[in-house]
Structures are given as structure tokens and as C-alpha cells.
């Protein structure tokens, strides 16, 4: 595995990877990562930190920044999507692009480390010029296929604002093409993405999203419909407020306030990272129906989801965010479905996450902004019979499509087939590269 961040259950990508690789023999998985961050070792125990010192120009610039009173982390991760497009954000985006394109050196101790592990293939989420180059160089150095796994549609959106006069985007696409040339097949986070990328890149793609352990599935379907009329219906959202997601949540809060005097009352609890709660708290000030709660550890999420009456998933309607999330499937969607609770989806109907909820017939998707369509959806969700049906539908869909035992086995078989079918093509490609110097 070659990527930016090491295995960890503190990020959505880390949760997805940990679940997909769960159960692999400890000696059959190793990771090279570029970001110095906490690791979890329940899945992978062998790591190589390809640190900042291997990027001499970037390292020198960050050291100068730190010496002048700034922070080495101020630039953030190369290729990161800016939260806004103000002057400061645009400057940071330019600096991130410059950092991403800086040359690297291959340290002397990496080649022996790779040979010791004798990899069958290289698996990578790619996502930046830096990681694209590193994954391709490692795959070439050990003569094995590379399997990319696209978690979002970054080839369409990253560096889309002309950073470094277009050089950043040109480098991103060039290094992506070099990586795909070594790939006999690829993976995507959703079926719509896999279908589109297969047409675009001309190799087979499989869909592999987050999967759910059997212990985290609901025992039944929806909660008992016999409840006191005064007991609030609990809506729960678990996730970040970035990428404009705070705005549709604020619109849901406005609609919920319309029902404040009705029975049963409706109440929304938002579990989000502390930094997001600090940044967007004002958007919910004055709402009588919203409670902003702390961020949850990954082990706490299943219990919270199963205790809810209705689960909420939102995506931004803003054009830029809409393009970025178009083909992505949120890490939480499989967990929502497995919880056996009805889902309120609020976001553009064409997004893969919203289409997934609709295909599972697991709730209501509100695909247009406005108080009226949201009010109609909330009225439907007050019907205990419909909630029971939608919860049962989602639970059944999750059992068929998102069980870890089933999906991780298919994931391993997909990688094994890539190793077998790609060996000959990679040998031929390596020979051509040697001939061309």
C-alpha cells in the first residue's frame, strides 16, 4: 500500500481501508506513507515513512516558514481541496501545488525494505502528484502491477483553478496516466464511478466502498413503532460539515423548527469534528431543533446509529462541491444502511450517495433546495410504518452488498487477479522502459 496517510481509523479513508483489509495475514501487507500521522496496527504492522526530508525543496521551505514563526503544517497536504476561494486560500493553494510538484529523492534504505517484503503488487489511492509519482516509482522498481483505488473524483477536480498557470493540473494528469499504464485493473468507491472510469481509462474497474462487520448490523429493522406521542423523533447526522455540508444541515434545522409545536417533536443531533463545530456553529444559532454534539470515535458510531429514529446524510448543492462529490459514496452510507434505520438524504439527486440511498429504497431523498420539499419529506418520515419499511429495506440491502466478510473476500480476489493478469504486461512495459532508457 502506497499513500499519503498511514492506516488509521480516525479518517474516512482510513476506516474504509482498515475494513477492506481486515483479516489479512500480518506478513502479507506493508505500507509506505508520506504523512507523519498516528498509525493503527490492527491491520498492518509494517510501515515505511517516506518523510518530508525526501523532498529537499519542500522541506527547506517549510523549515524557513517554521523559523519565521509559522508552522510546518501551514501548507497542508499537497493536492488538498481548499475550503474557500478567498485571497489567502488562493495563495495557500498555489503554495500547496508548488510543494506537490517539488522533486523527491529515493532514500537508500527504501529499496532493501521493498525487496524484503517481495510485493506482488502496489495498491494506492493516488490523489496527488507526489503520491502518484511515488506509487509508480515503487511499482516500477520492484516490477509489479499497480492497482489504483479512487475514493473521489479528484482527477476531474484537483487543481481545477489553474494553479501554477496550469502546470499543477498538467503534472497531476501526466503522473496519473503513468500510474494507470501499470494498472491491469482499478477500483472505485462507487459503481457509477467504476462504470465511468472503465470507459475513460479502458481497463476493468470494480466498486469497493466501506464495509460493515456483522457485529455492527442491527438485529431487526426499524425501532418499535409503539412509543409515547410526546417522545421526540431523533434525527442523527454523523460526519463533517466541510465541503458545504453545513448549509443543507442548516436548512434541515429551519424545516424542523416548523414542527416545533407538533407531536411527536423532531430533533436533530449533529456529531461532527470539533474544528467544524467551531467554524460553523453560528449557522445553527437560534434553532430550537438542533443539538451540536462531539465527534465520535469509530467504535462508538454503530451504537449511536442504531439508537436513532432517522439518519441524515447531506451533500452541498454548490456547483464546485457538487462536481467533487458527484461519484463519491460516503463512508457512512453502508453504516447507515446496516443500522436498519430510515435515511433522510438531502442533496443533488445525481450524486452517487443519493442514488445509493434511492436504490436501496432505504428512505427519502430530497433532491432540491427549499423549505417546501424538505417539509414534505419530514411529514413522510413521521409515519412509523414507512420508517419501518425503509429501515428494513436498507438493512437487507446492506446485508447483500456491504458485509465485510463478503466484500473483503471479493476485494482480495480482485487484487489477486490483478497480480496474475498484470504480471506479463508489466514485464513487457518494464522491458520497453529499459530499452528507452
Amino acid at each position: 500500500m502506497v499513500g499519503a496517510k498511514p492506516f488509521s481509523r480516525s479518517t474516512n479513508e482510513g476506516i474504509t481501508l482498515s475494513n477492506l483489509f481486515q483479516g489479512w495475514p500480518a506478513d502479507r501487507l506493508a505500507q509506505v506513507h508520506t504523512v507523519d500521522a498516528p498509525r493503527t496496527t490492527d491491520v498492518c504492522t509494517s510501515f515505511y515513512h517516506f518523510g518530508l526530508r525526501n523532498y529537499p525543496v519542500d522541506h527547506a521551505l517549510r523549515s524557513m516558514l517554521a523559523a519565521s514563526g509559522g508552522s510546518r503544517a501551514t501548507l497542508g497536504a499537497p493536492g488538498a481541496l481548499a475550503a474557500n476561494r478567498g485571497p489567502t486560500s488562493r495563495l495557500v493553494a498555489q503554495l500547496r501545488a508548488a510543494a506537490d510538484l517539488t522533486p523527491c529523492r529515493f532514500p537508500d534504505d527504501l529499496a532493501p525494505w521493498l525487496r524484503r517484503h517481495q510485493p506482488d503488487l502496489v495498491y494506492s489511492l493516488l490523489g496527488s502528484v507526489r503520491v502518484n509519482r511515488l506509487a509508480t516509482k515503487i511499482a516500477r522498481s520492484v516490477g509489479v502491477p499497480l492497482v489504483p483505488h479512487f475514493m473521489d473524483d479528484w482527477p476531474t477536480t484537483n487543481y481545477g483553478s489553474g494553479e501554477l498557470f496550469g502546470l499543477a493540473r498538467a503534472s497531476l494528469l501526466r503522473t496519473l496516466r503513468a500510474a494507470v499504464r501499470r494498472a491491469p485493473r482499478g477500483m472505485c468507491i462507487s459503481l457509477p464511478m467504476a462504470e465511468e472510469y472503465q470507459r475513460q481509462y479502458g481497463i476493468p474497474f470494480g466498486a469497493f466502498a466501506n464495509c460493515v462487520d456483522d457485529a455492527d448490523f442491527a438485529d431487526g429493522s426499524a425501532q418499535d413503532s409503539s412509543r409515547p406521542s410526546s417522545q421526540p423523533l431523533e434525527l442523527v447526522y454523523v460526519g463533517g460539515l466541510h465541503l458545504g455540508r453545513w448549509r443543507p444541515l442548516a436548512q434541515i434545522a429551519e424545516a424542523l423548527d416548523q414542527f416545533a409545536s407538533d407531536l411527536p417533536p423532531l430533533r436533530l443531533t449533529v456529531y461532527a469534528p470539533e474544528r467544524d463545530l467551531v467554524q460553523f456553529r453560528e449557522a445553527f444559532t437560534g434553532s430550537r431543533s438542533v443539538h451540536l454534539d462531539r465527534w465520535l470515535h469509530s467504535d462508538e458510531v454503530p451504537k449511536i446509529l442504531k439508537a436513532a429514529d432517522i439518519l441524515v446524510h447531506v451533500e452541498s448543492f454548490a456547483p464546485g462541491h457538487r462536481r467533487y462529490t458527484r461519484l463519491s459514496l460516503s463512508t457512512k452510507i453502508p453504516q447507515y444502511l446496516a443500522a436498519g434505520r430510515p435515511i433522510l438524504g438531502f442533496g443533488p439527486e445525481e450524486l452517487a450517495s443519493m442514488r445509493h440511498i434511492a436504490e436501496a429504497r432505504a428512505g427519502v431523498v430530497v433532491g432540491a433546495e427549499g423549505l417546501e420539499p424538505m417539509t414534505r419529506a419530514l411529514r413522510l418520515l413521521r409515519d412509523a410504518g414507512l420508517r419501518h419499511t425503509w429501515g428494513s429495506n436498507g438493512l437487507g440491502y446492506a446485508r447483500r452488498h456491504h458485509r465485510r466478510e463478503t466484500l473483503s473476500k471479493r476485494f482480495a480476489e480482485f487484487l489477486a487477479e490483478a497480480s496474475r493478469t498484470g504480471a506479463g504486461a508489466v514485464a513487457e512495459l518494464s522491458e520497453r522502459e529499459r530499452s528507452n532508457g
Side-chain angles (χ1 to χ4, degrees):
M1 161 71 182
V2 179
K5 297 178 181 179
F7 273 99
S8 169
R9 293 188 181 272
S10 61
T11 66
N12 287 334
E13 287 180 355
I15 290 170
T16 298
L17 292 180
S18 295
N19 288 338
L20 287 172
F21 279 108
Q22 186 73 41
W24 282 51
D27 63 342
R28 302 303 296 162
L29 186 65
Q31 185 180 26
V32 177
H33 61 94
T34 61
V35 175
D36 187 12
R39 309 159 172 170
T40 55
T41 57
D42 59 321
V43 176
C44 177
T45 58
S46 183
F47 297 90
Y48 184 99
H49 179 211
F50 195 90
L52 190 61
R53 290 185 180 278
N54 296 309
Y55 299 89
V57 176
D58 189 11
H59 182 256
L61 290 174
R62 290 179 191 252
S63 297
M64 290 170 57
L65 180 64
S68 65
S71 166
R72 287 178 183 270
T74 300
L75 297 182
L81 187 70
N84 59 70
R85 303 309 298 176
T88 301
S89 176
R90 288 196 293 269
L91 175 60
V92 170
Q94 297 287 348
L95 293 173
R96 282 175 174 165
D100 197 13
L101 269 62
T102 57
C104 74
R105 65 178 186 86
F106 218 56
D108 293 338
D109 62 340
L110 179 55
W113 187 89
L114 292 169
R115 286 196 299 270
R116 186 165 69 250
H117 286 284
Q118 297 181 318
D120 299 299
L121 56 82
V122 169
Y123 164 94
S124 179
L125 303 185
L126 303 179
S128 66
V129 174
R130 179 169 295 186
V131 176
N132 294 356
R133 283 173 172 166
L134 182 60
T136 303
K137 187 167 185 176
I138 288 176
R140 182 185 298 125
S141 71
V142 292
V144 299
L146 190 158
V147 176
H149 193 167
F150 297 89
M151 295 283 187
D152 55 62
D153 192 23
W154 58 263
T156 300
T157 56
N158 278 17
Y159 297 138
S161 299
E163 286 83 352
L164 303 182
F165 305 101
L167 178 61
R169 179 149 184 84
S171 297
L172 183 77
L173 296 180
R174 183 174 63 253
T175 56
L176 171 59
R177 287 193 297 269
V180 172
R181 277 199 298 271
R182 303 196 73 86
R185 50 177 55 194
M187 300 179 179
C188 290
I189 196 68
S190 70
L191 185 58
M193 181 186 281
E195 293 171 344
E196 181 165 319
Y197 276 38
Q198 187 160 315
R199 291 191 297 269
Q200 184 172 346
Y201 295 108
I203 59 174
F205 274 85
F208 293 93
N210 188 30
C211 50
V212 184
D213 192 88
D214 283 347
D216 294 333
F217 276 78
D219 295 330
S221 53
Q223 288 179 321
D224 187 357
S225 59
S226 61
R227 56 188 300 142
S229 60
S230 60
Q231 182 177 335
L233 283 174
E234 299 286 352
L235 287 77
V236 166
Y237 172 81
V238 179
L241 306 182
H242 61 304
L243 293 177
R245 293 186 178 112
W246 64 271
R247 189 178 297 276
L249 281 171
Q251 292 173 357
I252 292 176
E254 182 183 357
L256 289 175
D257 286 340
Q258 306 299 311
F259 292 94
S261 60
D262 291 4
L263 292 176
L266 300 167
R267 183 172 61 192
L268 170 64
T269 299
V270 175
Y271 295 93
E274 180 62 29
R275 64 180 183 276
D276 290 3
L277 295 176
V278 170
Q279 184 176 357
F280 301 110
R281 186 178 298 277
E282 288 187 7
F284 303 94
T285 301
S287 174
R288 297 163 291 174
S289 308
V290 176
H291 171 62
L292 302 180
D293 212 311
R294 63 185 174 84
W295 185 232
L296 299 172
H297 188 273
S298 59
D299 293 341
E300 299 177 282
V301 172
K303 182 179 179 180
I304 293 293
L305 299 185
K306 287 186 278 190
D309 293 297
I310 300 161
L311 299 173
V312 177
H313 179 69
V314 298
E315 296 290 356
S316 172
F317 286 86
H321 295 141
R322 199 167 180 157
R323 286 194 300 273
Y324 187 75
T325 59
R326 180 175 62 97
L327 298 173
S328 298
L329 181 63
S330 170
T331 304
K332 295 297 185 299
I333 295 296
Q335 294 176 298
Y336 276 20
L337 296 169
R341 299 292 176 259
I343 301 173
L344 169 61
F346 185 28
E349 289 179 324
E350 76 272 12
L351 302 189
S353 286
M354 299 301 162
R355 291 166 62 182
H356 204 75
I357 296 169
E359 182 182 337
R361 295 182 293 119
V364 180
V365 172
V366 180
E369 292 186 280
L371 191 59
E372 185 177 344
M374 179 54 64
T375 300
R376 287 198 303 269
L378 291 172
R379 287 199 180 101
L380 287 173
L381 285 162
R382 296 169 76 92
D383 187 314
L386 286 176
R387 292 200 308 274
H388 181 92
T389 297
W390 287 326
S392 297
N393 289 346
L395 181 58
Y397 190 91
R399 284 173 173 157
R400 293 191 300 273
H401 298 282
H402 297 303
R403 287 183 66 238
R404 186 186 65 77
E405 184 178 350
T406 302
L407 198 60
S408 60
K409 180 180 178 181
R410 186 164 64 85
F411 177 77
E413 291 171 347
F414 193 93
L415 290 176
E417 182 63 20
S419 177
R420 287 191 296 269
T421 60
V426 166
E428 183 179 338
L429 177 61
S430 299
E431 183 60 34
R432 287 203 306 271
E433 290 171 342
R434 283 193 294 271
S435 299
N436 294 332

